Amino acid sequence: MTYRIALIPGDGVGPEVVAGAVSVLEATGRRFGFDFEWQELVVGGAAIDAYGTACRPEDVETCRSTDAVLLGAVGGPKWDDPDASVRPEQALFALRGGLGLFANLRPITVFPQLIDASPLKPELLDGVDCLIVRELTSGIYFGKPSGPEAAADGSRAAVDTLRYTEAEIRRIVTLAFDLARTRRKKVTQVDKANVMSTSRLWRKVTEEIHADYPDVVLDHRLVDSAAMVLARWPAGFDVLVTENLFGDILSDEAAVIAGSLGMLPSASLGTTETAHGRHGLYEPIHGSAPDIAGQDVANPLGTILSAAMLLRWSLGQHEAAAAVEAAVTAALDDGYRTRDLLSATNRDEAAVSVVGTKEMARVVADRIAI
Ligand code: IPM
Ligand code: MG
């Protein structure tokens, strides 16, 4: 069996962390008996330099023709001019929209070995196992009209539009309930229903869907309160489902719980089924980190854990996915840390080996070969 995977290394640390994940995926192929055919694409700031656009339509088509897409990160100061008409982030929207990837899954778990790296008190981290399900192809990121406009008095103004249709809400909330059934059977739907009519529609539609899931506990929470509870009692959340912008903000907040943004994976899924599973795009939650690019210090574990999600969701290789996660755990158990995982308390401990990006990927791949 040969799987075709589109690789989008992107910008900044993207190429380094993707290279690490590729070596780990190849190790799973050797152990479990399958191969990969990599289809490398230039997307993001690199594509602006090469082609004048962040993502060419033919690259979206190539992604569509593969079994899954693995992405590092896009963006960097070189392309940051707010007035520029082409921006690296447009690549993400072209891929998400073009491939119909409406569901962004961001699992937040705490590796016990890294409890010291989290700024939260250890007793708050016990039992944290939250899955953020973020709507990804609608809401204020995509609503029209959007852009600058003139105010009545001739001064500057700008508009962004927040619109959700029932169908868009229904498909993501249904997925959240389905996922909750495989977990602790609790869904928290997050909105701003005391202010916004889109939020009130989210609540109504979610209540209706809940009727088909009597075994799942549903609660609604306003986004400001959800932000507070995430820091006060993160273990209380199971599946958290919310719209695009709220999900973007809450998932970065939740990432702090895990100790480092560098640890967290994500999957973006649509409804397209391939011969092996659901087509999807997998990427770490962190960005391109231009300040540390090219120095072999970035943490590849978020991308490696994204590769585990790829194996599970898009390739149906559940055993291989579990082997990757176990190998990450084993590498942490053996004391390997990239420098973002050093906390004030264990910084000088002899038991910890500080390693770079390549070495961290190598120790994980070695633990898969076993
Ligand atoms: C994310 C990122 C993107 C988003 C940016 C880079 C456009 O923050 O994937 O969370 O807001 O979706
Ligand atoms: Mg974000």
Side-chain angles (χ1 to χ4, degrees):
M1 169 65 64
T2 300
Y3 297 115
R4 279 186 67 226
I5 309 291
L7 280 186
I8 302 181
D11 309 313
V13 298
E16 298 165 68
V17 293
V18 164
V22 164
S23 66
V24 168
L25 282 169
E26 283 183 333
T28 63
R30 283 192 293 277
R31 168 152 162 209
F32 294 95
F34 49 81
D35 284 315
F36 292 99
E37 183 192 318
W38 309 107
Q39 196 89 46
E40 191 163 327
L41 302 174
V42 178
V43 166
I48 293 178
D49 290 350
Y51 316 121
T53 177
C55 185
R56 299 176 306 169
E58 58 260 50
D59 293 329
V60 177
E61 286 319 306
T62 303
C63 290
R64 197 192 311 284
S65 73
T66 58
D67 293 311
V69 185
L70 182 66
L71 186 148
V74 297
K78 184 174 173 194
W79 308 280
D80 251 358
D81 175 3
D83 293 324
S85 59
V86 280
R87 300 173 56 78
E89 292 77 13
Q90 290 163 345
L92 299 177
F93 305 139
L95 291 165
R96 292 169 183 175
L99 301 171
L101 306 172
F102 66 87
N104 184 218
L105 274 42
R106 297 185 164 185
I108 311 290
T109 49
V110 183
F111 284 88
Q113 305 89 337
L114 300 180
I115 278 185
D116 282 344
S118 173
L120 263 63
K121 292 194 185 110
E123 59 268 29
L124 292 179
L125 300 174
D126 199 26
V128 170
D129 182 9
C130 167
L131 178 64
I132 297 183
V133 179
R134 167 190 176 195
E135 200 290 325
L136 203 57
T137 50
S138 183
I140 205 158
Y141 277 50
F142 290 89
K144 297 276 181 290
S146 166
E149 57 172 32
D153 65 358
S155 67
R156 286 174 301 175
V159 61
D160 292 296
T161 301
L162 173 53
R163 178 180 293 106
Y164 268 105
T165 66
E166 175 178 349
E168 288 165 345
I169 300 168
R170 195 168 283 281
R171 64 185 178 182
I172 186 88
V173 171
T174 302
L175 177 67
F177 276 108
D178 285 337
L179 290 168
R181 272 195 171 150
T182 68
R183 301 167 46 94
R184 300 200 312 279
K185 296 194 171 55
K186 182 175 168 195
V187 169
T188 304
Q189 183 250 320
V190 173
D191 60 32
K192 190 71 183 172
N194 52 349
V195 180
M196 301 197 313
S197 48
T198 42
S199 286
R200 289 191 283 273
L201 182 62
W202 270 78
R203 272 197 192 203
K204 276 190 206 133
V205 172
T206 304
E207 288 288 345
E208 288 159 19
I209 297 169
H210 185 214
D212 295 330
Y213 294 84
D215 51 321
V216 178
V217 174
L218 169 66
D219 72 29
H220 305 280
R221 196 168 272 284
L222 297 173
V223 62
D224 46 353
S225 155
M228 180 195 67
V229 177
L230 261 177
R232 288 187 66 150
W233 189 47
F237 290 104
D238 179 14
V239 174
L240 189 162
V241 64
T242 190
E243 57 145 277
N244 204 340
L245 180 61
F246 295 162
D248 178 47
I249 298 168
L250 291 179
S251 59
D252 266 31
E253 185 196 353
V256 175
I257 297 166
S260 169
L261 206 51
M263 287 303 295
L264 291 175
S266 79
S268 300
L269 306 171
T271 50
T272 308
E273 293 289 334
T274 68
H276 319 290
R278 210 182 261 228
H279 192 256
L281 180 149
Y282 301 83
E283 59 180 316
I285 285 190
H286 66 72
S288 60
D291 52 321
I292 57 164
Q295 298 173 26
D296 192 40
V297 294
N299 183 350
L301 295 180
T303 316
I304 289 170
L305 292 167
S306 302
M309 294 183 87
L310 182 157
L311 287 162
R312 180 173 292 120
W313 280 92
S314 287
L315 306 185
Q317 291 285 353
H318 297 272
E319 230 186 307
V324 172
E325 287 156 355
V328 168
T329 302
L332 294 172
D333 275 341
D334 293 344
Y336 293 101
R337 302 283 187 273
T338 43
R339 72 176 195 194
D340 56 302
L341 300 177
L342 296 182
S343 67
T345 50
N346 68 16
R347 194 171 291 274
D348 301 320
E349 270 179 31
V352 172
S353 319
V354 182
V355 292
T357 314
K358 286 197 187 109
E359 183 66 1
M360 184 58 114
R362 193 189 61 75
V363 298
V364 173
D366 282 355
R367 282 156 183 75
I368 287 168
I370 294 163

